[in-house]
Amino acid sequence: MQAYKIDRINLITHKCQKKKNVKSVRCRYLAKSHIVNCNAQNQNFIYANFRGAIFTKVKFNNSTINGCDFWGTSFKDCDFSGAKISDCVFMACKFSNCNFTGTIISYTTIVNTSLAECKNISLFKRTDIYKNYPKCILTEELKAALEVLKSDKNLRTYKLLHISDKKYNELNLFLIQQRFTEEALPLLLIKLANHSTRNITTYKKLEQQLKSMETSGII
């Protein structure tokens, strides 16, 4: 089997060092990144997938975090003051002593994640919280479409539709079923097999690609 290139950020500022800077990123799968005691102020994190990443003492002040995926991501002593978080998915994340003063969070999905240690957090329009991992409705047509995409190298690496060979990403399928009809979704997924998926790194990017194909009348 072909080995996938690992793309991640490992950035740690040690004691007596000048704080290192986290630069803006777009359309990157940065699973298991490890960022400690760094500045990420005034940056743009767009369609970045931080599955299993660890952030400790990171300052995200006034940054834009849009369309990102955080699955099993850990945040400790992080500062999101003044940040704008939108169209993101937080699944089974851990927050410890994080500051959300003045943070705008909108159009975001939060699943199986405690916000008890998110100081001054406010959730704005269309932010949904699910205590438990939701289940999707798997029709035979949808299963067939997912089987077509099962071997797609990028979607497989990014775990957007399948978490493993035998397990679907039911959260993403549940979310996407809210956006498309039961008839249209399988057809769109099959058509996706003929398109580049290299930059489809997060749930939101996947949704937008399918929406684009639907709008252009591909199905």
Side-chain angles (χ1 to χ4, degrees), residues 91-107:
M91 161 63 189
C93 291
K94 293 182 179 180
F95 289 95
S96 177
N97 190 37
C98 293
N99 184 13
F100 283 83
T101 303
T103 309
I104 297 176
I105 304 174
S106 58
Y107 300 99

Side-chain angles (χ1 to χ4, degrees), residues 95-121:
F95 289 95
S96 177
N97 190 37
C98 293
N99 184 13
F100 283 83
T101 303
T103 309
I104 297 176
I105 304 174
S106 58
Y107 300 99
T108 286
T109 301
I110 302 171
V111 182
N112 192 22
T113 297
S114 173
L115 304 179
E117 292 202 35
C118 297
K119 297 177 182 177
N120 299 322
I121 191 167

Side-chain angles (χ1 to χ4, degrees), residues 55-217:
F55 296 90
T56 304
K57 295 183 180 179
V58 179
K59 293 185 178 296
F60 290 98
N61 310 68
N62 303 312
S63 285
T64 296
I65 303 171
N66 178 256
C68 295
D69 280 1
F70 301 94
W71 281 58
T73 309
S74 173
F75 300 91
K76 183 178 181 181
D77 300 325
C78 292
D79 192 349
F80 293 88
S81 299
K84 294 181 180 179
I85 300 173
S86 61
D87 292 304
C88 292
V89 176
F90 291 88
M91 161 63 189
C93 291
K94 293 182 179 180
F95 289 95
S96 177
N97 190 37
C98 293
N99 184 13
F100 283 83
T101 303
T103 309
I104 297 176
I105 304 174
S106 58
Y107 300 99
T108 286
T109 301
I110 302 171
V111 182
N112 192 22
T113 297
S114 173
L115 304 179
E117 292 202 35
C118 297
K119 297 177 182 177
N120 299 322
I121 191 167
S122 295
L123 304 178
F124 289 77
K125 54 186 177 181
R126 292 190 61 182
T127 291
D128 297 315
I129 296 180
Y130 299 93
K131 291 185 178 180
N132 300 308
Y133 189 79
K135 294 288 185 180
C136 64
I137 301 170
L138 289 165
T139 63
E140 291 305 313
E141 291 79 9
L142 181 55
K143 288 181 181 178
L146 291 170
E147 191 65 29
V148 171
L149 289 168
K150 196 171 186 178
S151 60
D152 183 283
K153 183 182 74 172
N154 297 315
L155 296 177
R156 187 183 181 91
T157 301
Y158 307 153
K159 303 183 187 298
L160 293 180
L161 296 173
H162 300 84
I163 291 175
S164 66
D165 285 340
K166 297 181 179 180
K167 189 174 182 181
Y168 297 111
N169 186 326
E170 293 205 41
L171 173 57
N172 283 359
L173 292 173
F174 170 81
L175 294 174
I176 217 164
Q177 284 177 332
Q178 316 303 310
R179 300 288 181 262
F180 301 94
T181 66
E182 183 179 314
E183 296 75 23
L185 181 56
L187 297 173
L188 287 167
L189 288 173
I190 290 173
K191 290 295 182 182
L192 184 62
N194 298 319
H195 288 257
S196 171
T197 55
R198 185 170 62 88
N199 288 327
I200 302 179
T201 48
T202 67
Y203 164 75
K204 191 60 185 182
K205 190 66 174 175
L206 172 64
E207 179 193 303
Q208 289 183 341
Q209 177 62 53
L210 296 177
K211 182 66 71 176
S212 175
M213 292 193 300
E214 183 181 53
T215 302
S216 61

